[in-house]
Amino acid sequence: MTAPLFNRLALIGVGLIGSSIARAARAQGVVRSIAATARSAATRRRVAELGLADQVAETNAAAVEGADLVIVCIPVGACAEVAREIGPHLMAGATVSDVGSVKGSVVRDMAPHLPAGVHFVPAHPVAGTEYSGPDAGFAELFVNRWCILTPPADADLQAVDRLKAFWRALGANVETMAPQHHDLVLAVTSHLPHLIAYTIVGTADELAQVTRQEVLQFSAGGFRDFTRIAASDPTMWRDVFLANKDAVLEMLGRFNEDVSALTRAIRRGDGEALFNHFTRTRAIRKGIVAIGQDSPSPDFGRPHPDLPHEPLPRPYAGEGE
Ligand code: NAP
């Protein structure tokens, strides 16, 4: 438990990320109270049923009243509209942050609507699963994951430090960087892998000479891990690719060059080129496991069994799996 860092946390959007923040902030005692809201009445009702917040507000404007920390946890494409709505209702001295997977567009879209005297410190917790909604969150989601803050150059240092302390209390490691640099790094580490997964699962699905039954039956051959990533929320990922267009196109260009090089090696029977390439990539995987960013156990990408966590509620598992 940590002494409360903030008096009142307002969460706009209570899906996987928002509900995980609510659960973790409660568990760690880092805020005195939580107000939350979501776009639909159904989600607001579910948030109340789950007891994720002390107050479930009907509107975004009502949720931020009296909050000294506001975290916007919605798809990045909706951030401009929400910032416009909450701007006039923010408390002087409040810190406003977000969790969006793209930072340049969030800064561009939100900053103009936030009044002077409010500290805007965008953030991106690099943690997630393929599930969505308030039932999908869990308090340990951020443990040993990175949270990247992209404060503007003239940001109030005390506000930045307080938000860093908040994320550290939730178990995250904190890094700061410029929004454009964040977007380039995440384009290669997250956005491109998702695009590849979306592509390959679609390609397999369209192969007429391979039946859907065979694709499912023999999925352990590598395809299965792609299907997990390709099950991620369509709205969130549509917004990510639209918002991070330039960096994704840049990385996609490089990726296509590398695919061409491997294609050539296969066509020419150049086993040495293939072997050298695969040896290099295997070392990268070993490095990721060595720094604790994934487990060597075969539950690829799932929450680590060696980390303390409650059983992950998977309300949608029955529908999708
Ligand atoms: P999610 O589970 O789908 O939840 C999204 C929440 O935002 C819901 O409460 C939804 O309300 C609300 N919302 C959606 N559209 C809205 C709008 N136009 N105005 C107001 N509220 C709206 O999404 P998530 O996975 O938590 O992702 C939220 C943000 O976190 C995204 O920006 C994403 O890029 C970022 N992020 C996601 C992950 C991940 O792995 N999922 C990881 C890191 C960062 P309703 O339920 O009522 O529609």
Side-chain angles (χ1 to χ4, degrees), residues 12-18 37-41 43 60 73-76 78 81-82 99-102 124-129 131-133 233 236 240:
I12 311 270
V14 197
L16 170 70
I17 301 296
T37 191
R39 175 178 51 171
S40 68
T43 300
N60 297 332
C73 307
I74 63 176
V76 291
E81 181 197 327
V82 167
V99 295
S101 307
V102 182
H124 175 205
V126 187
T129 74
Y131 299 106
S132 306
D233 187 66
M236 167 186 158
V240 166

Side-chain angles (χ1 to χ4, degrees), residues 220-245:
F223 183 73
R224 186 185 58 192
D225 293 330
F226 284 113
T227 63
R228 185 186 66 78
I229 298 176
S232 299
D233 187 66
T235 305
M236 167 186 158
W237 282 98
R238 176 202 62 197
D239 284 8
V240 166
F241 289 115
L242 295 178
N244 203 22
K245 176 178 160 182

Side-chain angles (χ1 to χ4, degrees), residues 144-164:
N144 201 24
R145 295 292 180 229
W146 285 94
C147 183
I148 301 172
L149 305 190
T150 62
D154 60 350
D156 180 284
L157 290 183
Q158 249 184 317
V160 176
D161 283 346
R162 206 142 72 108
L163 193 65
K164 281 185 186 173

Side-chain angles (χ1 to χ4, degrees), residues 259-312:
V259 170
S260 299
L262 287 176
T263 308
R264 199 168 50 243
I266 293 169
R267 191 183 306 113
R268 291 179 178 172
D270 186 349
E272 196 184 337
L274 295 174
F275 185 84
N276 289 342
H277 187 92
F278 302 157
T279 304
R280 191 156 56 87
T281 56
R282 176 181 245 193
I284 291 170
R285 169 67 190 172
K286 283 184 178 158
I288 288 170
V289 172
I291 61 168
Q293 287 298 298
D294 204 357
S295 159
S297 58
D299 63 341
F300 179 59
R302 303 279 171 183
H304 298 181
D306 47 336
L307 294 176
H309 66 80
E310 321 237 339
L312 167 62

Side-chain angles (χ1 to χ4, degrees), residues 169-231:
L170 269 48
N173 307 311
V174 178
E175 181 78 86
T176 55
M177 59 178 75
Q180 284 66 26
H181 188 66
H182 166 279
D183 291 352
L184 204 59
V185 171
L186 270 291
V188 72
T189 57
S190 171
H191 307 169
L192 191 57
H194 275 81
L195 194 69
I196 293 166
Y198 281 124
T199 310
I200 198 154
V201 174
T203 304
D205 191 45
E206 283 156 20
L207 275 180
Q209 64 272 51
V210 179
T211 67
R212 176 169 287 221
Q213 178 56 32
E214 286 169 317
V215 168
L216 299 178
Q217 196 171 334
F218 303 115
S219 69
F223 183 73
R224 186 185 58 192
D225 293 330
F226 284 113
T227 63
R228 185 186 66 78
I229 298 176

Side-chain angles (χ1 to χ4, degrees), residues 192 249-263:
L192 191 57
L249 290 178
E250 161 78 24
M251 290 305 161
L252 203 51
R254 293 187 193 204
F255 174 78
N256 283 330
E257 285 173 19
D258 292 343
V259 170
S260 299
L262 287 176
T263 308

Side-chain angles (χ1 to χ4, degrees), residues 95-173:
T95 295
V96 175
S97 190
D98 76 309
V99 295
S101 307
V102 182
K103 297 274 55 98
S105 71
V106 165
V107 171
R108 183 198 63 211
D109 291 350
M110 288 186 69
H113 302 294
L114 303 178
V118 159
H119 308 298
F120 182 38
V121 187
H124 175 205
V126 187
T129 74
E130 67 277 33
Y131 299 106
S132 306
D135 286 275
F138 53 105
E140 298 76 16
L141 178 62
F142 309 111
V143 174
N144 201 24
R145 295 292 180 229
W146 285 94
C147 183
I148 301 172
L149 305 190
T150 62
D154 60 350
D156 180 284
L157 290 183
Q158 249 184 317
V160 176
D161 283 346
R162 206 142 72 108
L163 193 65
K164 281 185 186 173
F166 175 86
W167 279 105
R168 288 195 180 112
L170 269 48
N173 307 311

